[in-house]
Amino acid sequence: MPRALITGGVGFLASHLCDRLLAEGFEVVAIDNLITGSLDNVSHLANEPRFSYENQDVIEGIAYSGELDYVFHLASPASPVDFIQVPLEIMRVNSRGTENALELARQKGARFLFTSTSEVYGDPLEHPQQEEYRGNVNTLGVRGVYDESKRYGESIVMAYRRLYNVDTKLVRIFNTFGPRMRLDDGRVVPNFMRQALTGEPITVYGAGTQTRSFCYCTDLIDGIFRLITSEQQGPINIGNPTEHTMLEFAQKIKNLVDSSSEIVFRPMLTEDDPKQRRPDITKAKTLLGWEPRVSLEEGLRETVAYFQGRLNRIA
Ligand code: UDP
């Protein structure tokens, strides 16, 4: 039975990766310091003998004595609100944390995957973004802590590949959503949904002309699974290429929820908020045979149901 260790293992995306790997017959070790992850995300695995969780901080090093076939490094706060609140933790987990995870993979002879991000393209001057594009990041801005540390992460992954022949994989994740996102995570999907469901104003930042494209979590995980089980090393963009302005998106969620919330305009949370973002997924399609399958509407409906459930529990 293949065994995988996942850093940030009880976070939003990692918990879906745990589900997928378990479904594929893996044994899964999740480690997390719970800075943004939550054990609620894996509570359904309580009786799964092939799943285990350990509270560890990858910044301090990873203690695992067993054999490993795969190391997935997903640990990192990833919301722009986190960029403001925990900037040093973000920088450390993507620098020291990535080195520690790589070192573990090297010692165990395990395949390694690093979750990089569309943020490495910064506020992109090329559109859509291809993997070859080197980006337009402001090192000095609020987003710099995430963007630059992920860029560093990619570089140290390449150094481990060249120096030690670690079998590494790089995925660049574009905006992804779904059940198990934090209600208070500050990102656009939880914000708009919470606001629409509770009748609060829906807060569009700026004029709402900036664009994003949203990938459903299980599609994203399918891309990661295809990459780790392929001979490709990446970087490979994984994301949904259907692009929306944030104003359109607010309207869409308002309609979906049949909400009485008004749509209001608020100042941008961070300077350098990318004006447009859409992945070119030609590589994922041709090299991995991957493309998103879940429609935005279907994904949004699943996610609304999840957030409604959480809000009911809080009430
Ligand atoms: N956004 C918004 N209202 C919100 C939260 C976010 O208009 O309440 C916008 C934000 O300015 C950005 C987009 O939605 O242009 C996506 O933001 P998110 O924080 O989800 O992630 P990002 O792609 O910026 O990392």
Side-chain angles (χ1 to χ4, degrees):
M1 194 188 309
R3 187 185 292 154
L5 182 141
I6 309 178
T7 74
V10 302
F12 156 53
L13 277 180
S15 69
H16 290 284
L17 179 60
C18 291
D19 288 345
R20 175 66 186 264
L21 294 178
L22 290 166
E24 298 283 347
F26 284 53
E27 197 177 319
V28 176
V29 181
I31 66 168
D32 206 302
N33 67 354
L34 304 183
I35 184 173
T36 51
S38 166
L39 292 175
D40 285 348
N41 292 339
V42 292
S43 56
H44 60 290
L45 301 176
N47 297 318
E48 170 54 71
R50 288 179 292 120
F51 176 78
S52 61
Y53 158 76
E54 287 181 33
N55 190 311
Q56 289 193 34
D57 187 340
V58 294
I59 295 168
E60 306 299 332
I62 304 170
Y64 187 75
S65 56
E67 286 177 16
L68 288 172
D69 304 289
Y70 299 90
V71 173
F72 293 85
H73 184 39
L74 272 72
S76 178
S79 159
V81 171
D82 301 325
F83 305 167
I84 296 166
Q85 292 177 347
V86 288
L88 297 178
E89 287 82 351
I90 289 174
M91 298 202 84
R92 289 179 192 133
V93 77
N94 286 308
S95 54
R96 246 184 273 158
T98 303
E99 184 166 0
N100 288 339
L102 280 161
E103 193 49 39
L104 181 73
R106 184 176 79 88
Q107 284 168 16
K108 305 288 184 187
R111 223 171 226 205
F112 179 87
L113 180 137
F114 178 58
T115 47
S116 186
T117 167
S118 54
E119 285 282 331
V120 300
Y121 303 123
D123 186 6
L125 303 177
E126 286 185 15
H127 192 72
Q129 291 78 53
Q130 296 182 332
E131 289 84 351
E132 289 72 22
Y133 178 50
R134 293 187 187 172
N136 177 39
V137 170
N138 175 7
T139 57
L140 306 177
V142 169
R143 306 179 86 96
V145 297
Y146 186 68
D147 303 9
E148 282 304 317
S149 64
K150 285 288 187 186
R151 289 169 69 98
Y152 173 93
E154 290 196 1
S155 299
I156 194 167
V157 164
M158 294 310 293
Y160 262 73
R161 166 175 278 273
R162 293 191 192 102
L163 262 182
Y164 300 124
N165 281 319
V166 177
D167 185 5
T168 61
K169 316 273 170 187
L170 280 175
V171 57
R172 292 188 182 142
I173 298 178
F174 283 65
N175 294 65
T176 303
F177 73 100
R180 303 183 196 155
M181 289 187 102
R182 284 178 289 148
L183 256 179
D184 61 350
D185 146 318
R187 282 187 278 195
V188 71
V189 172
N191 272 12
F192 284 3
M193 285 196 177
R194 192 193 63 246
Q195 293 161 341
L197 287 168
T198 59
E200 289 167 48
I202 299 177
T203 55
V204 170
Y205 297 160
T209 52
Q210 70 273 34
T211 67
R212 295 291 187 275
S213 50
F214 296 97
C215 186
Y216 191 62
C217 52
T218 51
D219 277 338
L220 190 284
I221 295 303
D222 185 50
I224 287 184
F225 186 76
R226 282 172 191 248
L227 175 57
I228 196 86
T229 50
S230 78
E231 292 312 312
Q232 299 299 323
Q233 57 165 296
I236 294 198
N237 291 336
I238 300 286
N240 192 310
T242 314
E243 192 178 354
H244 304 271
T245 70
M246 289 308 96
L247 185 55
E248 247 177 72
F249 194 57
Q251 196 63 56
K252 192 180 254 308
I253 291 186
K254 180 175 149 87
N255 293 345
L256 182 79
V257 175
D258 199 13
S259 169
S260 59
S261 296
E262 62 170 328
I263 294 177
V264 297
F265 295 92
R266 293 281 179 269
M268 287 288 189
L269 190 66
T270 65
E271 79 270 47
D272 308 323
D273 190 297
K275 288 182 256 323
Q276 50 182 1
R277 180 183 289 157
R278 172 157 61 99
D280 181 319
I281 59 165
T282 309
K283 280 207 163 72
K285 273 186 182 163
T286 54
L287 301 175
L288 304 177
W290 178 87
E291 63 185 324
R293 306 214 171 274
V294 179
S295 72
L296 183 62
E297 280 65 27
E298 198 181 339
L300 289 177
R301 268 196 297 276
E302 291 287 327
T303 313
V304 165
Y306 171 80
F307 281 131
Q308 184 69 72
R310 289 214 71 98
L311 286 167
N312 291 346
R313 261 183 278 161
I314 294 167

